[in-house]
Amino acid sequence: MKKFISRYGKMTLVALFGLCIFLFWYCGYPQALCYQEQNQLFLWSADYFWHDLSVAGGLADYISEFLVQFYYVPVLGAAILAFLFVAFLSLTYQVIRSYTAKPLKWYGQLIALLPSILLLEVIGDIEVLLSFPVALTLALLSTWLMNLATRRLGARIAWADVLLIPVIFWLIGGGATWLYVFLRVASFLIQVKKGKLPSVSITYLLSILYLLAIQLICYSTLLVQYPLMSVMTGINYYRVPMQYPGQKWGYDKDLYALLKQNEQVRNGKWEDIINDAQENQVQVFYTSNCVNLALAQTRQLADRMFSFYQSGEDALLAPRTRDNMSMYPTMEAFWRLGLVNSSLRYASDLQASILNGKMSGRLMKRITECQIVNGKYAVARKNIDLLKQSLFYHDWAVKMEAMLGNDTAISHDPDLGRARRMRFKTEMIYSYDEIDKMMGLLFINNPDNKMALDYFMGQMLLKGDIQGFMRYGSWVQQYGGYMQMPVGYQDAVKCIQNQGNVPGSPYAEYVKRMMSKQKGGEE
């Protein structure tokens, strides 16, 4: 038994570590995988490969983007991260062992585990790209192989580093190359101290200045469009320019709740959104957008809207915000309402807001759908040609290609046909400040658009347009398809008639909160 534990114990622990990482992502944070996948579009083309390699760290970028495309299937994404962390842990162990040339004791194995735990904390920041752990793993692999070579070939291997350091810098980026250089310096100094190599440590100490010189030369010649600090620490380790991994740590509960709703909206998990909101709802407009969209899709908005947190006039449809997250639920709501051009505008803004300049497969799909519905087939074909070069969007793109110019096929498609029937048939000026009027016009344009009616009435209640709500209340009974006036509207009418003095009224509570907020703002 002792022999078995000695031989297979470490392997078992590593396997358990990998299983824990898999369960951590697949069961705990699959929404993070969705977020990462929706902010890139990996293309199987030579141009894409050479474009990545044209920047320092390009190989790490290419490998990471190749892997992230599989996040489209969460179980694959979790398995990939588990494999990557196991590789990182194993190489950390091997690098430490290469310094001692002996198996590590229990405390040495704990030390080898520490970098993996720290890395797991760092990538809790959703803007840290997979390029970062991939680059670090490649740096550890290079260090381990070169340490083995140093033990066999001695000081002569120093000249190999002279050639290898600039190559490593260009392939995995600045930050990971600094890790490689410092680990190699440490390895050489340890070997010198043990008397196994001649004391020419100055050669390796100069490698630090050598790497710095390489980075400065590349910055001034090949990478002039990037800040110097990005060249030195890693250009594509972090999605936001001029920021770097390690500035934020851990997993913010509220942020990951928003990411979960983002994944649920994308996959149409309406009941899950509602059930989760009943347990806990982050009090920001994003969650109001998601919950209200879910209520509308299940025809519960008129009854239960004010049973959930409403952020204000932006609770149904948010204004345009230049970030790569906030407008997703509104983009989806516009699409389902039939406001095709508004959905297209929001999708285009979201695509432009991906700060590292990547395309998004999810957004490219929505943009293509909008162009097809609008009859802009030439533009749609360009997007389809790109999506056909991807893995998980290829079949969809082929299906959409068959739709181009085929009005009969479009009308029979459940999504495209519905959007074409519900969209405005005439031109209309978009104004977010008058979004309630737009919903009213959308409903008049097509009385079968029940969602537009629900949003029209709901927006008037959010704005406090009592006269408008009472005036158009007959539309609900005439066109809404309800057996009786929805409970939520009954509550609002009662609240209006009693000037808010209705204990336990969800709408009265909303009005009081908005009035208190307004007074606080004035003060």
Side-chain angles (χ1 to χ4, degrees):
M1 180 61 71
K2 185 177 181 181
K3 185 177 181 181
F4 176 85
I5 294 175
S6 176
R7 178 175 297 181
Y8 300 106
K10 185 168 70 70
M11 186 183 302
T12 302
L13 290 175
V14 170
L16 287 174
F17 175 75
L19 178 61
C20 290
I21 295 294
F22 172 81
L23 294 175
F24 178 85
W25 290 108
Y26 183 63
C27 298
Y29 298 104
Q31 61 268 38
L33 306 180
C34 175
Y35 177 78
Q36 298 297 341
E37 190 277 334
Q38 77 180 17
N39 280 297
Q40 71 159 57
L41 176 63
F42 182 86
L43 302 180
W44 294 78
S45 68
D47 288 343
Y48 190 92
F49 174 76
W50 290 115
H51 178 270
D52 271 5
L53 258 67
S54 66
V55 174
L59 180 63
D61 297 340
Y62 187 81
I63 293 173
S64 69
E65 290 159 13
F66 169 81
L67 295 175
V68 167
Q69 71 175 323
F70 293 98
Y71 288 11
Y72 188 88
V73 181
V75 67
L76 294 180
I80 286 169
L81 283 168
F83 176 81
L84 180 62
F85 269 84
V86 165
F88 183 82
L89 172 62
S90 300
L91 287 168
T92 302
Y93 176 87
Q94 293 297 340
V95 168
I96 297 175
R97 186 178 176 183
S98 70
Y99 293 155
T100 63
K102 297 179 181 179
L104 301 184
K105 297 183 178 180
W106 66 268
Y107 53 84
Q109 295 179 14
L110 287 179
I111 292 174
L113 181 61
L114 183 60
S116 298
I117 302 300
L118 293 176
L119 181 60
L120 190 63
E121 283 291 310
V122 169
I123 65 173
D125 180 357
I126 62 172
E127 305 305 342
V128 175
L129 301 175
L130 193 65
S131 303
F132 182 59
V134 166
L136 294 181
T137 303
L138 292 174
L140 291 176
L141 176 61
S142 302
T143 303
W144 175 51
L145 294 176
M146 288 298 291
N147 283 357
L148 294 180
T150 300
R151 289 173 57 189
R152 292 186 178 183
L153 301 177
R156 290 173 295 171
I157 201 68
W159 295 109
D161 271 316
V162 173
L163 300 176
L164 194 58
I165 286 174
V167 174
I168 291 178
F169 165 66
W170 196 261
L171 293 181
I172 67 176
T177 309
W178 281 112
L179 174 64
Y180 170 81
V181 167
F182 285 127
L183 289 176
R184 287 290 291 144
V185 169
S187 173
F188 196 85
L189 292 178
I190 289 172
Q191 296 297 322
V192 169
K193 187 175 181 181
K194 291 181 176 180
K196 295 182 178 181
L197 291 177
S199 183
V200 290
S201 56
I202 190 64
T203 303
Y204 266 89
L205 294 176
L206 286 175
S207 64
I208 297 174
L209 297 176
Y210 176 55
L211 174 57
L212 180 61
I214 291 170
Q215 292 180 337
L216 290 173
I217 292 171
C218 289
Y219 166 70
S220 61
T221 56
L222 302 174
L223 302 170
V224 293
Q225 69 271 40
Y226 297 100
L228 177 59
M229 282 301 297
S230 294
V231 174
M232 295 181 65
T233 59
I235 293 173
N236 286 322
Y237 295 163
Y238 203 82
R239 184 174 287 109
V240 182
M242 298 295 291
Q243 295 187 31
Y244 316 99
Q247 294 179 316
K248 300 177 184 177
W249 291 69
Y251 296 77
D252 183 271
K253 180 181 177 182
D254 288 346
L255 175 59
Y256 276 82
L258 302 186
L259 293 183
K260 185 176 182 180
Q261 287 188 323
N262 171 64
E263 182 271 332
Q264 290 169 331
V265 167
R266 179 177 183 177
N267 295 304
K269 299 177 180 178
W270 310 122
E271 292 294 346
D272 290 346
I273 294 174
I274 296 169
N275 292 335
D276 288 347
Q278 290 177 152
E279 298 294 328
N280 177 55
Q281 182 180 353
V282 184
Q283 296 190 356
V284 295
F285 75 86
Y286 186 92
T287 61
S288 294
N289 293 166
C290 294
V291 173
N292 288 333
L293 177 57
L295 291 171
Q297 291 300 295
T298 55
R299 288 313 313 275
Q300 300 181 65
L301 185 63
D303 284 309
R304 304 182 63 192
M305 178 176 175
F306 290 96
S307 297
F308 297 89
Y309 171 79
Q310 301 298 328
S311 58
E313 294 183 26
D314 58 359
L316 283 169
L317 299 165
R320 294 167 71 181
T321 307
R322 293 307 295 267
D323 64 44
N324 66 334
M325 183 71 178
S326 299
M327 297 187 293
Y328 270 103
T330 302
M331 177 195 75
E332 297 290 345
F334 278 144
W335 172 252
R336 287 166 172 79
L337 283 163
L339 288 172
V340 176
N341 288 335
S342 296
S343 183
L344 173 62
R345 187 182 304 111
Y346 273 48
S348 300
D349 283 352
L350 282 165
Q351 178 114 289
S353 299
I354 301 175
L355 294 178
N356 61 348
K358 297 296 181 180
M359 295 182 292
S360 163
R362 177 182 178 182
L363 293 173
M364 289 288 283
K365 280 182 63 177
R366 179 48 43 81
I367 290 170
T368 303
E369 289 172 328
C370 292
Q371 299 291 11
I372 291 175
V373 169
N374 285 333
K376 306 294 184 181
Y377 301 127
V379 179
R381 184 177 291 280
K382 293 180 180 179
N383 295 333
I384 288 171
D385 288 341
L386 284 175
L387 291 169
K388 284 170 64 179
Q389 298 178 53
S390 66
L391 178 60
F392 291 101
Y393 300 101
H394 174 270
D395 292 346
W396 181 89
V398 171
K399 178 184 175 183
M400 290 300 106
E401 189 174 35
M403 298 279 185
L404 299 180
N406 190 338
D407 291 339
T408 302
I410 292 172
S411 64
H412 285 87
D413 184 85
D415 294 324
L416 302 181
R418 177 192 51 78
R420 180 166 281 190
R421 288 191 299 273
M422 289 186 174
R423 66 177 181 148
F424 274 105
K425 303 301 187 295
T426 57
E427 293 184 0
M428 183 196 66
I429 298 177
Y430 174 89
S431 172
Y432 180 80
D433 294 334
E434 297 182 321
I435 198 72
D436 55 329
K437 294 183 176 62
M438 292 172 57
M439 294 298 104
L441 290 173
L442 189 61
F443 173 70
I444 292 172
N445 179 67
N446 188 343
D448 292 331
N449 193 341
K450 311 300 184 187
M451 183 178 173
L453 176 60
D454 290 343
Y455 270 56
F456 174 56
M457 302 299 291
Q459 189 65 35
M460 286 190 291
L461 288 175
L462 290 172
K463 291 179 65 174
D465 185 358
I466 305 306
Q467 293 181 349
F469 176 78
M470 298 298 286
R471 183 184 308 121
Y472 295 107
S474 60
W475 284 11
V476 178
Q477 293 178 304
Q478 186 174 356
Y479 302 105
Y482 301 105
M483 297 297 293
Q484 60 180 9
M485 182 66 76
V487 174
Y489 294 166
Q490 292 181 35
D491 173 65
V493 170
K494 191 180 296 184
C495 178
I496 293 167
Q497 291 174 342
N498 292 276
Q499 298 182 340
N501 297 316
V502 183
S505 165
Y507 185 64
E509 291 299 320
Y510 166 77
V511 172
K512 290 177 183 178
R513 181 163 54 83
M514 288 298 103
M515 291 179 66
S516 175
K517 184 177 179 180
Q518 186 176 13
K519 289 180 181 179
E522 290 175 353
E523 294 174 356

